[in-house]
Amino acid sequence: MSLWRRKTCAREEDDAVALVRVYCGLASADPADRPASAGSTLTSAVVDDAGRLLHVCEIGDDPAGYAQLVALLVERSGGPSGAAIAADSDDHTVTSLLSAAGRPLAIADDDSVDDFAERFADDDSLEEMHSPPAERRAVGLARALQAGALSAVTLPAPRDLAGYKQVLAAHAALASGRHSAAVALREVLRELYPAALRAYPDPAEPVSLAVLDALPEPGMLSGTVAQGREVSVAVDAVAAHLAADGVADADQINEAVTALRVAISETPRRAAVNRALTAAVAETVRQAVASVRACDAGCDALVGALSARATTPA
């Protein structure tokens, strides 16, 4: 099975639990456990109202990591304010940005964090029990919030970031808009280009967006045997163009295009989408893709401004 078919295989299930109250834990790795070459990172863990672990990942302790965390929480909770967050320190860049953004935050001391990691561990999960210490601490913090052992409140904004509250609010709005645009794209594809959902579990990923923008209508990749050579040449040209634009490496793009071609061949063409509607379908898909990309561009601009601030002495 292609990587593009396996990747984020639980995406459909994730959509079913997106609009729930979620709780997030942030824990830093012990310097002794982190390679000297590694930058400062945080482990984030998200659980739902029942304490079930939904997501674990590492983020950088910088504005880009903050943006990644905000996008994750918007996706899981359906909105920028639908998540409470607990951290093991208020010295992190990410927690400072969370405070400046006015997000509910709880800070726990080291002894409490270790206690939560033990008390709220899932003894029935071998994977969780054998996870790294930072991951267990992050999960413990998230479940401590869910169980009521911790309470998240709005903390005062750090003085040096008080002037960036509007920037953070704008970023939150764009993150929510991006999530809505991604949902709209999925629904457009479901009705007009179902093969794309077969090929890409998450059509809002950068490579998927680029391929769909270049090939927004299934007829562009489907053809008879007699036309096979012409189609192959066109696909090679599209892949080369995307690689030249720096979207991804050539192998990754070729794999994405191949996954789309296979999905088109396995998906019956809907009678309603006839040749008369081909141009409208292509334009609609392109505009839906552009909507997601516009939000991404706005978020990148704001994160760039925050990054410049983070590297400038106060």
Side-chain angles (χ1 to χ4, degrees), residues 20-23 47-52 54 146:
V20 297
R21 179 74 174 173
V22 298
Y23 306 86
V47 302
D48 64 11
D49 245 338
R52 291 173 299 188
L54 300 179
Q146 178 265 334

Side-chain angles (χ1 to χ4, degrees), residues 126-151:
L126 289 177
E127 182 178 359
E128 189 173 320
M129 295 305 295
H130 290 88
S131 59
E135 184 173 321
R136 293 200 301 272
R137 287 159 61 92
V139 173
L141 283 167
R143 288 188 176 139
L145 280 172
Q146 178 265 334
L150 279 176
S151 296

Side-chain angles (χ1 to χ4, degrees), residues 20-27 42-49 51-57 59 65-66 68-74 76-77 80 82-88 94-95 98 103-108 116 134-147 150-152:
V20 297
R21 179 74 174 173
V22 298
Y23 306 86
C24 175
L26 291 174
L42 299 173
T43 298
S44 67
V46 178
V47 302
D48 64 11
D49 245 338
R52 291 173 299 188
L53 184 59
L54 300 179
H55 191 91
V56 175
C57 69
I59 61 172
Y66 167 82
Q68 183 182 350
L69 179 65
V70 170
L72 170 63
L73 296 180
V74 168
R76 292 292 178 175
S77 65
I85 305 163
D88 61 356
V94 169
T95 52
L98 290 168
R103 292 178 178 272
L105 186 65
I107 305 298
F116 295 147
E135 184 173 321
R136 293 200 301 272
R137 287 159 61 92
V139 173
L141 283 167
R143 288 188 176 139
L145 280 172
Q146 178 265 334
L150 279 176
S151 296

Side-chain angles (χ1 to χ4, degrees), residues 82-134:
I85 305 163
D88 61 356
S89 172
D90 59 357
D91 291 334
H92 305 309
T93 298
V94 169
T95 52
S96 295
L97 290 169
L98 290 168
S99 296
R103 292 178 178 272
L105 186 65
I107 305 298
D109 58 67
D110 283 342
D111 291 340
S112 296
V113 174
D114 291 335
D115 174 56
F116 295 147
E118 293 296 326
R119 197 195 324 173
F120 297 111
D122 183 358
D123 296 335
D124 296 328
S125 172
L126 289 177
E127 182 178 359
E128 189 173 320
M129 295 305 295
H130 290 88
S131 59

Side-chain angles (χ1 to χ4, degrees), residues 195-245:
L197 291 183
R198 253 181 111 112
Y200 308 133
D202 182 5
E205 286 183 338
V207 176
S208 305
L209 289 171
V211 173
L212 290 173
D213 186 52
L215 301 166
E217 200 279 317
M220 299 177 72
L221 269 177
S222 61
T224 63
V225 175
Q227 295 173 325
R229 180 172 299 177
E230 296 174 5
V231 171
S232 178
V233 171
V235 168
D236 290 344
V238 168
H241 177 71
L242 295 179
D245 285 347

